[in-house]
C-alpha cells in the first residue's frame, strides 16, 4: 500500500473508561477501513487497555496517584501536581503538536483536556464527550433544583458545556462532536457545532455471546427468586473498602428475604484478589462450596452459600452478570451506567473514594435519574430493594429511563462511519 494513502489517527483519552470508549471506536474504524494507521496517547494512566488491544501507545505516559479523579478532590489534584502532572501534561502537549505536524487527525475522548489537546495540535479533530451530560443540570422538562449557589451556577451559560468548551467544538478543525446522550445533543445543536446524536459507545460489546459457557451460573439463576449483581469497582485499594460496605448491604438484603432464595453475582475485575474478597465473605458467615468452575473464556466462579442464599464471585464475567441480574448494588462508575442502560435499577452507596465519594454518588443520581437509588445506610438496603421491586410502575419507569439516558448499542460503528466521512477518508 502506498504510504501516502494511509490515514493517520491519534487517539487521546484521559481515563480508564475513556480509553475503553476510544478502543471500541478504533476497532470499528479498523473494520471499516484497512488504510488507517491508528495510535494512542492516554493522557491519564499508562494505557494498558490500548496495549491489550494491540493499539500502539506513543508519547510520554505515567500513572498518577489520583488514578484520574483529580476533579473530585483538591487533595488528589495536589498529589498529582507533586507527582509531576504539570510537566507530564506539557510534554504530552508538545508531543501531540509534533505528531500533528507530520499529518493526521485527532480523536479526543473524555473532557476538556483531550479536546483542548486536539485543538492545540493544529490538526483536524473530533470529540467524544464522555464526561458531561445535560442530565447533570436538567431533565427533559426543566432545570434541576440545586441547593448551593455554585451548583446553580453550573447552568449559567445555557448548557453543561461552558462557552470555552463550546468554542473548541465550534472550531472549523473540529469535524464532529459526539455527546453521550440525546438531551445533550439537542442542547448543543443551539450552537454552530457539528453535533451527531448516535448513542453512547458504553453500551456496545454487552451481548451475551458467552452465556452458554457457564451452566453452573445459569442453573443458579434459575433457582433464585431474585438475582442481584454486586459492583465494587476495579481500582485498588478502593474496591476492597467498597466490598466491605456492599457486604453489609448483602446481609441486610438476606435478612429481608429469609424465606426466598437470593443469588448475588459479584462481578469482580481481574485485577482484584479473590482471596481477599473471600476472606471478607467468611467473616460474614458465607461458606465456600468445594466446586470452582473455570469456563473456556477464563471466567472463574467461586460459589458461597449462607442458608438458602448463594453468592458467586465471578471474575472476568461482567457482561454475563449484568444480563442475568434483576438489580445491582453498586459502587462503580461506568459499570453502573452500563447496567442502568439495560433498563434495570441500581442501588448505590457513597464511599470514601477517591472515585465513589458522596459527591460522586449524588452526581450519579442526577446523571442516571430514577434508575439509581441512593442508599445512605447499607443496613437499610434490603428494605429499599424490596420497596422498589414491589412497585411495577416504578420498574417500568426505570426501564424506559435507562434506555433513554444510555441509548442503543452500536454507537461505535456509527461514530466510525461519520469519522470516515467528516475526515474525508477512504473506506
Amino acid at each position: 500500500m502506498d504510504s501516502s494513502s494511509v490515514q493517520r489517527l491519534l487517539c487521546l483519552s484521559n481515563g480508564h473508561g475513556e480509553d475503553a470508549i476510544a478502543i471500541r471506536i478504533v476497532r470499528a474504524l479498523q473494520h471499516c477501513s484497512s488504510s488507517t494507521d491508528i495510535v494512542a496517547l492516554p493522557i491519564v494512566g499508562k494505557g494498558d487497555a490500548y496495549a491489550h488491544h494491540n493499539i500502539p501507545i506513543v508519547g510520554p505516559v505515567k500513572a498518577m496517584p489520583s488514578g484520574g479523579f483529580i476533579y473530585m478532590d483538591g487533595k488528589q489534584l495536589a498529589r498529582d501536581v507533586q507527582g509531576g502532572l504539570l510537566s507530564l501534561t506539557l510534554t504530552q502537549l508538545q508531543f501531540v503538536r509534533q505528531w500533528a505536524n507530520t499529518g493526521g487527525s485527532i480523536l479526543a475522548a473524555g473532557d476538556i483536556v483531550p479536546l483542548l489537546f486536539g485543538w492545540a495540535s493544529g490538526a483536524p479533530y473530533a470529540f467524544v464527550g464522555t464526561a458531561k451530560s445535560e442530565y447533570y443540570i436538567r431533565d427533559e422538562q426543566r432545570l434541576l433544583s440545586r441547593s448551593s449557589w455554585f451548583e446553580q451556577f453550573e447552568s449559567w451559560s445555557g448548557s453543561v458545556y461552558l462557552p470555552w468548551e463550546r468554542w473548541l467544538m465550534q472550531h472549523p478543525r473540529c469535524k464532529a462532536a459526539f455527546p453521550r446522550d440525546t438531551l445533550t445533543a439537542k442542547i448543543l445543536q443551539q450552537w454552530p457545532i457539528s453535533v451527531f446524536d448516535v448513542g453512547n459507545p458504553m453500551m456496545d460489546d454487552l451481548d451475551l455471546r458467552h452465556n452458554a459457557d457457564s451452566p453452573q451460573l445459569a442453573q443458579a439463576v434459575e433457582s433464585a427468586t431474585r438475582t442481584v449483581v454486586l459492583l465494587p469497582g476495579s481500582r485498588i485499594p478502593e474496591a476492597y473498602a467498597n466490598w466491605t460496605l456492599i457486604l453489609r448491604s448483602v446481609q441486610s438484603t438476606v435478612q429481608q428475604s429469609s424465606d426466598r432464595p437470593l443469588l448475588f453475582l459479584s462481578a469482580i475485575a481481574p485485577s482484584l484478589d479473590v482471596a481477599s474478597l473471600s476472606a471478607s465473605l467468611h467473616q460474614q458467615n458465607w461458606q465456600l462450596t468445594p466446586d470452582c468452575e473455570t469456563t473456556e473464556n477464563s471466567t472463574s466462579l467461586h460459589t458461597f452459600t449462607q442458608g438458602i442464599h448463594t453468592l458467586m464471585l465471578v471474575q472476568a464475567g461482567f457482561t454475563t452478570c449484568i444480563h442475568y441480574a434483576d438489580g445491582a448494588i453498586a459502587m462503580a462508575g461506568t459499570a453502573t451506567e452500563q447496567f442502568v442502560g439495560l433498563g434495570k435499577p441500581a442501588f448505590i452507596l457513597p464511599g470514601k473514594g477517591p472515585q465513589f465519594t458522596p459527591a460522586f454518588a449524588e452526581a450519579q443520581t442526577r446523571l442516571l435519574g430514577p434508575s439509581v437509588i441512593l442508599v445512605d445506610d447499607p443496613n437499610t438496603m434490603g428494605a429499599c430493594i424490596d420497596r422498589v421491586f414491589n412497585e411495577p410502575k416504578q420498574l417500568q419507569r426505570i426501564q424506559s429511563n435507562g434506555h433513554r439516558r444510555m441509548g442503543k448499542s452500536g454507537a461505535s460503528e456509527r461514530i466510525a462511519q461519520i469519522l470516515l466521512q467528516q475526515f474525508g477518508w477512504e473506506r
Side-chain angles (χ1 to χ4, degrees):
M1 181 185 295
D2 183 359
S3 61
S4 64
S5 66
V6 174
Q7 298 143 174
R8 301 174 70 238
L9 182 71
L10 172 62
C11 295
L12 303 174
S13 52
N14 63 331
H16 299 281
E18 291 78 4
D19 294 353
I21 286 173
I23 288 166
R24 292 187 184 106
I25 297 169
V26 165
R27 287 164 55 195
L29 274 171
Q30 291 170 333
H31 180 74
C32 295
S33 174
S34 60
S35 60
T36 305
D37 178 25
I38 303 175
V39 295
L41 173 58
I43 299 172
V44 171
K46 294 184 177 180
D48 293 338
Y50 285 113
H52 180 72
H53 286 86
N54 297 316
I55 301 169
I57 296 173
V58 296
V61 297
K62 183 179 181 181
M64 286 291 156
S66 73
F69 298 108
I70 61 175
Y71 308 111
M72 301 170 202
D73 188 341
K75 293 180 180 178
Q76 298 291 338
L77 174 59
R79 290 175 62 202
D80 281 6
V81 170
Q82 291 175 351
L85 174 64
L86 295 179
S87 61
L88 175 65
T89 301
L90 291 174
T91 306
Q92 288 174 332
L93 183 56
Q94 183 180 24
F95 173 84
V96 170
R97 286 173 172 168
Q98 292 171 346
W99 184 92
N101 283 338
T102 62
S105 301
I106 303 286
L107 175 64
D111 56 22
I112 190 174
V113 177
L115 176 60
L116 188 61
F117 272 45
W119 168 80
S121 71
Y125 59 98
F127 175 56
V128 182
T130 65
K132 284 196 170 185
S133 167
E134 290 295 326
Y135 283 114
Y136 280 122
I137 63 173
R138 71 177 86 229
D139 58 23
E140 284 79 4
Q141 283 75 44
R142 62 185 69 85
L143 288 172
L144 301 178
S145 176
R146 310 292 299 283
S147 55
S148 71
W149 70 267
F150 177 77
E151 292 170 333
Q152 296 171 15
F153 185 73
E154 281 188 292
S155 58
W156 70 273
S157 72
S159 170
V160 71
Y161 279 104
L162 298 170
W164 43 91
E165 294 171 308
R166 300 198 300 261
W167 183 87
L168 293 170
M169 285 186 272
Q170 289 173 221
H171 195 278
R173 281 189 288 105
C174 185
K175 301 303 181 181
F178 303 97
R180 55 171 290 144
D181 51 63
T182 298
L183 179 62
T184 308
K186 286 181 178 178
I187 295 296
L188 286 178
Q189 285 166 355
Q190 299 175 75
W191 293 277
I193 301 171
S194 296
V195 179
F196 295 88
D197 177 23
V198 295
N200 193 329
M202 282 186 192
M203 297 309 297
D204 294 347
D205 299 332
L206 295 179
D207 57 74
L208 282 174
R209 286 171 296 179
H210 302 305
N211 248 3
D213 291 348
S214 177
Q216 180 181 335
L217 183 55
Q219 183 179 0
V221 173
E222 186 69 26
S223 303
T225 58
R226 182 178 297 157
T227 300
V228 179
V229 65
L230 310 179
L231 303 173
S234 59
R235 289 171 180 81
I236 300 171
E238 181 180 3
Y240 297 123
N242 292 348
W243 182 243
T244 300
L245 279 176
I246 286 175
L247 286 189
R248 288 175 58 192
S249 296
V250 167
Q251 292 307 112
S252 168
T253 308
V254 164
Q255 291 167 7
Q256 189 76 16
S257 181
S258 57
D259 58 342
R260 293 172 297 152
L262 301 178
L263 172 63
F264 300 93
L265 299 177
S266 311
I268 302 304
S271 58
L272 300 185
D273 179 33
V274 171
S276 297
L277 303 176
S278 299
S280 299
L281 285 167
H282 287 303
Q283 292 174 359
Q284 296 284 350
N285 298 318
W286 288 90
Q287 304 299 317
L288 177 65
T289 60
D291 55 328
C292 172
E293 180 185 16
T294 300
T295 66
E296 291 180 5
N297 62 323
S298 299
T299 298
S300 63
L301 305 177
H302 301 265
T303 304
F304 296 77
T305 59
Q306 188 180 111
I308 60 173
H309 307 295
T310 303
L311 189 152
M312 288 181 164
L313 294 180
V314 187
Q315 198 158 32
F318 169 74
T319 301
T320 304
C321 287
I322 63 173
H323 274 280
Y324 274 137
D326 303 303
I329 300 175
M331 297 183 70
T334 300
T336 304
E337 295 175 42
Q338 290 173 314
F339 184 80
V340 161
L342 297 179
K344 304 175 183 182
F347 302 84
I348 65 173
L349 295 157
K352 294 183 179 179
Q355 180 189 20
F356 217 82
T357 60
F360 185 96
E362 187 276 331
Q364 196 173 67
T365 64
R366 285 183 277 119
L367 175 65
L368 300 175
S371 295
V372 293
I373 299 92
L374 180 60
V375 182
D376 291 321
D377 183 357
N379 297 319
T380 65
M381 180 64 74
C384 187
I385 290 177
D386 263 7
R387 184 167 60 250
V388 170
F389 276 99
N390 286 328
E391 290 289 343
K393 288 185 178 180
Q394 185 175 358
L395 289 175
Q396 207 169 34
R397 182 184 175 209
I398 285 170
Q399 184 181 54
S400 59
N401 174 76
H403 292 159
R404 182 173 64 253
R405 296 203 182 206
M406 294 302 298
K408 297 179 180 179
S409 63
S412 301
E413 289 79 6
R414 293 186 285 271
I415 290 173
Q417 295 289 344
I418 292 169
L419 289 177
L420 291 175
Q421 176 185 346
Q422 294 300 103
F423 286 146
W425 289 350
E426 296 179 1
R427 297 180 184 275

